[in-house]
Amino acid sequence: MDSTMKPEKAARKRRLPWRRILLLPAVLLLAVAAYFIESRSGWSDLYRAAGVSLDAPDADLLAQTSTTVTVLDVGQGDAVLIGQDGAYCLIDTGPSDAKGDLVRDLQLAGISKLDYLVLTHPHADHTGGAREVLRNFAVGQLLVPPWDAQASGETADWPRGLFDLAAEQGTDVITAEDGTVYPLGSGTLTVLQGGESELYDTDDSSAHVNNASLCTLFEAGNFRYLSTGDAESAAEQRLVDRYGKALHATLFKAGHHGSSTSSTEALLQVVQPQAVAISCGLNNDYGHPHARALQRLTDAGAEIYRTDTMGTITFTWQNDTLSAASPDTLGGAGYSRLRCTI
């Protein structure tokens, strides 16, 4: 018995050093990654070392500013990060083909936890990165509208397995109700409307799910940010009829990526935004933003900011002043101020 055991033990002893040598690169890689992530510059240095070009929110800018709204460049889609006193809410997650960039950009921004993930409606250009966000970040609550695909006649649906994944990750799934107020730092996010079945009955069948979009208002001090998802004219008119001038906002994200059927004159007359952000893809197939929508926004006196021409845009609110900044994607050397301070 002893003679048969000794050679096997000896063989194992001879192989162990080689296994350790093979593990060294992996250990070193993990050590380097840990150093970068724990360092002040964190993920930025790690991605730059790998030769990845960056178009992400500046972590220092977000950390040093109490109130921020970052319109992330996800191509033809929507993803907006709201920050207040270190608490964060992500509204929509862009298309599936941008999910890797979305996760990377949130990591570069220093985000590890989201108090809320809000999905305005079940269209792929707004929900494509939702599962990836749930897998990579601690998400407190997932807010969705009371979407009824059968009642709407639409085939659109949430990403497969989304709610099961949320449950596995410990994220509460909440069907948002009109008038509900959610705290975010010292600010609040109010659900104005979403999922109204009467808005499904429109002449344009493509507008069914768009008009079911969650419309929200974020407030922090004197700052107000209005988001309407892909809501089109019928849903916008319902907002105007219900809230009137209470919809006034400092910053407005143009509905449906600057579609001609959104950002109507009736809505803009009550919102009266200082600045408008348009999230759309460069040279997209839909013609967004549409010339008529741009003209209405210009006539309303708003400064216009576009992700297709400016990339990711971070709006900051300090001393009752709204400013806008975008990454210097050419040199990756931080942020450059955009156009003007409002």
Side-chain angles (χ1 to χ4, degrees), residues 117-334:
L117 171 59
V118 179
L119 298 179
T120 58
H121 64 293
H123 269 167
D125 57 334
H126 291 252
T127 65
R131 287 176 297 189
E132 205 70 10
V133 168
L134 287 170
R135 291 189 185 104
N136 285 275
F137 304 94
V139 179
Q141 298 181 3
L142 169 62
L143 274 61
V144 296
W147 169 244
D148 187 342
Q150 185 174 2
S152 73
E154 278 276 355
T155 57
D157 204 351
W158 302 110
R160 183 177 298 176
L162 175 68
F163 302 123
D164 289 339
L165 177 60
E168 292 172 8
Q169 301 293 89
T171 298
D172 294 329
V173 179
I174 297 176
T175 300
E177 298 181 2
D178 294 3
T180 306
V181 180
Y182 298 92
L184 186 68
S186 60
T188 57
L189 182 75
T190 302
V191 176
L192 300 178
Q193 74 177 28
E196 281 72 16
S197 59
E198 59 267 32
L199 294 177
Y200 298 154
D201 299 322
T202 66
D203 294 333
D204 181 3
S205 60
S206 66
H208 287 166
V209 64
N210 290 339
N211 280 332
S213 293
L214 278 182
C215 300
T216 58
L217 180 67
F218 170 68
E219 299 175 87
N222 293 324
F223 176 74
R224 295 161 64 87
Y225 166 60
L226 178 65
S227 170
T228 58
D230 276 359
E232 300 190 22
S233 56
E236 289 187 352
Q237 188 59 54
R238 181 177 174 83
L239 279 173
V240 172
D241 293 342
R242 295 174 74 182
Y243 299 101
K245 293 183 178 180
L247 293 172
H248 172 66
T250 320
L251 174 65
F252 170 56
K253 189 189 70 62
H256 198 192
H257 320 289
S259 165
S260 62
T261 55
S262 300
S263 303
T264 57
E265 184 178 354
L267 181 67
L268 293 173
Q269 282 181 346
V270 294
V271 176
Q272 297 183 337
Q274 294 181 26
V276 172
I278 302 175
S279 180
C280 61
L282 184 64
N283 300 323
N284 63 83
D285 295 335
Y286 304 94
H288 296 155
H290 196 278
R292 290 201 295 271
L294 288 172
Q295 188 60 56
R296 290 195 293 267
L297 295 170
T298 300
D299 291 344
E303 286 283 342
I304 300 172
Y305 299 84
R306 301 167 48 169
T307 60
D308 61 333
T309 58
M310 299 176 176
T312 291
I313 305 163
T314 293
F315 296 90
T316 59
W317 179 254
Q318 290 180 298
N319 301 319
D320 286 344
T321 300
L322 183 69
S323 300
S326 181
D328 179 1
T329 55
L330 293 177

Side-chain angles (χ1 to χ4, degrees), residues 22-44:
L22 291 173
L23 284 173
L24 279 176
V27 172
L28 288 172
L29 181 60
L30 288 172
V32 171
Y35 166 76
F36 279 123
I37 294 168
E38 290 298 324
S39 69
R40 178 177 175 80
S41 47
W43 285 100
S44 293

Side-chain angles (χ1 to χ4, degrees), residues 41-77:
S41 47
W43 285 100
S44 293
D45 285 345
L46 185 58
Y47 281 115
R48 287 196 182 99
V52 178
S53 61
L54 305 179
D55 179 20
D58 182 89
D60 288 337
L61 182 65
L62 267 58
Q64 296 167 9
T65 311
S66 294
T67 306
T68 62
V69 174
T70 300
V71 184
L72 294 149
D73 181 9
V74 291
Q76 184 61 22

